[in-house]
Amino acid sequence: MSEPFSVPVTVRGYETDVQGHLNQSVYLNYAEHARWSLLQAAGISQSALVGTGVGPVALETTIRYRRELLAGDEVEVTCAFEWGGGKTFRIEQTVRKTDGTVAAEITGVGGLMDLKARKLVADPQEYFRKLAADPAVFGL
């Protein structure tokens, strides 16, 4: 298996809490940024995705905080899709400092919603495969 997709992020001072470490909700923003960056790297814009009548939905998110992050810390946020045979998929993400220290592990379950029917599509990976200029970024 190849290395997961990743994006660099620098922790900004305004993202920290009173203890000086990265606010818990910001980890979700970093994870979301990495997911949209992966779509963009695969050749799928947000407008193109929505233009097909589908949109990504988060069904479950779990964050395991491992080490604190401070303002100025530089991290890589990884993103790897895991496909099953149903309407949902898993996304495994890691927030890792440049020295290799894992700061957080984020696991999500998502799907693609038909925006008119307001229901999950039966085969989300097929949508991504068709839309992507580079489906390998999704592990397809």
Side-chain angles (χ1 to χ4, degrees):
M1 181 174 172
S2 63
E3 289 293 314
F5 178 84
S6 68
V7 294
V9 176
T10 301
V11 176
R12 295 165 290 253
Y14 63 83
E15 296 172 325
T16 60
D17 59 20
V18 71
Q19 288 91 358
H21 59 246
L22 187 65
N23 182 279
Q24 63 186 357
S25 65
V26 179
Y27 287 88
L28 293 173
N29 291 334
Y30 288 3
E32 183 82 1
H33 173 64
R35 292 192 299 271
W36 281 109
S37 295
L38 181 147
L39 264 69
Q40 193 170 41
I44 303 173
S45 69
Q46 187 173 9
S47 60
L49 185 62
V50 173
T52 65
V54 298
V57 293
L59 303 169
E60 176 183 315
T61 305
T62 303
I63 305 173
R64 182 173 182 173
Y65 303 100
R66 305 284 302 271
R67 295 288 184 269
E68 68 181 352
L69 291 175
L70 307 173
D73 282 347
E74 295 181 12
V75 298
E76 288 286 327
V77 184
T78 67
C79 186
F81 280 66
E82 295 180 4
W83 304 98
K87 295 180 180 183
T88 63
F89 48 85
R90 293 178 65 82
I91 305 172
E92 296 291 338
Q93 298 185 262
T94 302
V95 179
R96 182 176 286 113
K97 294 169 78 168
T98 54
D99 68 2
T101 302
V102 173
E105 297 164 325
I106 303 162
T107 301
V109 176
L112 279 179
M113 179 184 286
D114 179 311
L115 298 174
K116 288 184 182 166
R118 309 305 288 177
K119 294 185 181 209
L120 294 179
V121 301
D123 190 0
Q125 67 190 78
E126 192 56 33
Y127 277 84
F128 285 125
R129 187 179 279 117
K130 286 180 182 176
L131 288 168
D134 184 4
V137 177
F138 287 100
L140 298 172

